[in-house]
């Protein structure tokens, strides 16, 4: 059986939660970084991208697309799905974590001006502080295992780490974590998990997006202007 291949850009984006899941599940895989528009168009021509979007995970003879679908597949394969009776809680917390991320931590860099980038980042920080982090803080305060649900790592932890690590890594909004000590402890606890620890220390773990990263993504996704 060939090694799974995860195709995306050389940054976190929509692929990062799957990289975290593959690492936690100790599934070896190759990162394939898109560098040119032709590489992207070739995947479409080959019929590998159902909705003409990446990430793409080639695994077990299938072309999986959709970051949440990919994540669930890896969690099922890697025994990270949690107990059947915990599924609703796992889903709700996962969706909250995903919405927190969508507020704009990663999207801010793609704004037209530095002022708009800062505005989006500050808004995302404000929403996290008021709506999302208080919930995760409370849930983690009640957890005996240090994980969000039950006694083992699940999709909810993967999605929450993907979101909260942006807050931790972006100096402009990092101070807001001071009000959320359980979330800070969670970052440490999650970061020390087998598979995750090695991944986070490796060059495969990317920082939040830079200007160069944004240019690279635009080069691949934007049709050439005529
Ligand atoms: N719902 C999809 C969204 C993926 C997505 O928007 N991918 C972007 C790159 S970050 C893309 O491929 N865009 C190309 C396009 O929409 O034409 C997911 O969660 O994977």
């Amino acid at each position: 059986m060939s090694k799974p291949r995860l195709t995306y850009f050389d940054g976190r984006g929509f692929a990062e939660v799957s990289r975290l899941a593959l690492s936690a599940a100790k599934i070896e895989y190759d990162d394939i970084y898109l560098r040119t528009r032709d590489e992207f168009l070739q995947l479409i021509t080959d019929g590998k991208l159902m909705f003409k979007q990446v990430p793409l995970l080639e695994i077990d003879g299938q072309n999986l697309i959709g970051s949440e679908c990919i994540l669930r597949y890896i969690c099922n394969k890697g025994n990270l799905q949690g107990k059947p009776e915990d599924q609703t809680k796992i889903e709700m917390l996962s969706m909250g974590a995903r919405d927190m991320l969508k507020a704009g931590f990663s999207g801010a860099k793609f704004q037209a001006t530095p002022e708009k980038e800062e505005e989006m980042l500050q808004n995302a920080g404000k929403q996290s502080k008021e709506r999302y982090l208080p919930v995760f803080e409370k849930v983690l305060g009640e957890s005996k295992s240090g994980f969000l649900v039950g006694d083992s790592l699940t999709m909810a932890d993967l999605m929450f780490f993907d979101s909260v690590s942006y807050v931790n890594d972006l100096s402009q909004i990092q101070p807001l974590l001071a009000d959320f000590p359980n979330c800070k402890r969670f970052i440490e606890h999650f970061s020390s998990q087998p598979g995750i620890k090695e991944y986070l220390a490796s060059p495969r773990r990317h920082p939040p997006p830079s200007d160069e990263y944004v240019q690279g993504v635009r080069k691949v996704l934007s049709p050439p202007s005529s």
Side-chain angles (χ1 to χ4, degrees), residues 8-9 14 40 52-55 66-67 221:
Y8 196 64
F9 308 100
F14 280 101
F40 179 61
K52 301 183 183 170
Q53 290 181 323
V54 285
S67 51
L221 293 186

Side-chain angles (χ1 to χ4, degrees), residues 37-49 52:
R37 182 149 181 86
D38 282 348
E39 288 167 358
F40 179 61
L41 294 177
Q42 189 62 51
L43 290 173
I44 296 174
T45 305
D46 292 346
K48 290 188 175 180
L49 304 182
K52 301 183 183 170

Side-chain angles (χ1 to χ4, degrees), residues 21-34:
L22 287 160
S23 305
K26 302 218 179 109
I27 298 173
E28 280 191 39
Y29 69 100
D30 286 323
D31 269 310
I32 313 295
Y33 297 140
L34 286 174

Side-chain angles (χ1 to χ4, degrees), residues 3-219:
K3 241 199 238 180
R5 289 158 47 95
L6 182 63
T7 303
Y8 196 64
F9 308 100
D10 60 348
R12 293 187 195 175
F14 280 101
E16 190 62 12
V17 74
S18 296
R19 296 191 186 111
L20 290 165
L22 287 160
S23 305
K26 302 218 179 109
I27 298 173
E28 280 191 39
Y29 69 100
D30 286 323
D31 269 310
I32 313 295
Y33 297 140
L34 286 174
R35 308 265 184 213
T36 67
R37 182 149 181 86
D38 282 348
E39 288 167 358
F40 179 61
L41 294 177
Q42 189 62 51
L43 290 173
I44 296 174
T45 305
D46 292 346
K48 290 188 175 180
L49 304 182
M50 187 185 275
F51 295 114
K52 301 183 183 170
Q53 290 181 323
V54 285
L56 161 72
L57 181 68
E58 294 169 79
I59 188 167
D60 299 335
Q62 303 173 79
N63 298 316
L64 303 185
I65 54 89
S67 51
E68 288 171 28
C69 162
I70 294 173
L71 176 61
R72 281 190 183 80
Y73 187 90
I74 301 165
C75 286
N76 286 333
K77 194 175 166 71
N79 285 324
L80 301 173
Q81 68 276 68
K83 297 199 178 99
E85 63 270 28
D86 288 333
Q87 290 312 302
T88 316
K89 193 171 177 198
I90 291 171
E91 287 286 339
M92 287 193 293
L93 290 169
S94 299
M95 291 310 105
R98 180 41 64 103
D99 287 347
M100 177 174 148
L101 182 66
K102 281 184 185 161
F105 299 124
S106 167
K109 254 290 166 226
F110 288 81
Q111 298 307 296
T113 63
E115 292 72 27
K116 287 210 179 324
E117 174 188 342
E118 186 59 23
E119 189 185 323
M120 189 174 204
L121 209 51
Q122 291 303 334
N123 274 338
K126 186 167 182 290
Q127 272 198 52
S128 301
K129 187 176 169 138
E130 291 173 0
R131 187 191 296 261
Y132 299 109
L133 290 173
V135 175
F136 289 101
E137 182 72 7
K138 182 165 184 293
V139 171
L140 288 166
E142 290 161 0
S143 162
K144 292 190 178 58
S145 64
F147 297 112
L148 282 166
V149 186
D151 52 13
S152 62
L153 191 154
T154 68
M155 175 170 86
D157 300 293
L158 292 159
M159 283 207 178
F160 181 52
F161 181 80
D162 191 22
S163 296
V164 78
S165 60
Y166 276 101
V167 182
N168 201 34
D169 292 347
L170 290 163
S171 56
Q172 304 97 306
I173 50 173
Q174 205 275 343
L176 69 82
L177 277 180
D179 291 339
F180 302 98
N182 297 332
C183 292
K184 280 171 95 168
R185 264 193 295 278
F186 169 83
I187 293 172
E188 277 175 37
H189 178 62
F190 182 93
S191 302
S192 67
Q193 294 308 304
I196 295 288
K197 186 176 173 188
E198 294 75 17
Y199 169 67
L200 294 178
S202 76
R204 297 175 94 163
R205 169 70 169 174
H206 298 285
S210 62
D211 291 333
E212 295 69 43
Y213 172 73
V214 169
Q215 275 171 21
V217 172
R218 290 217 168 103
K219 194 170 101 184

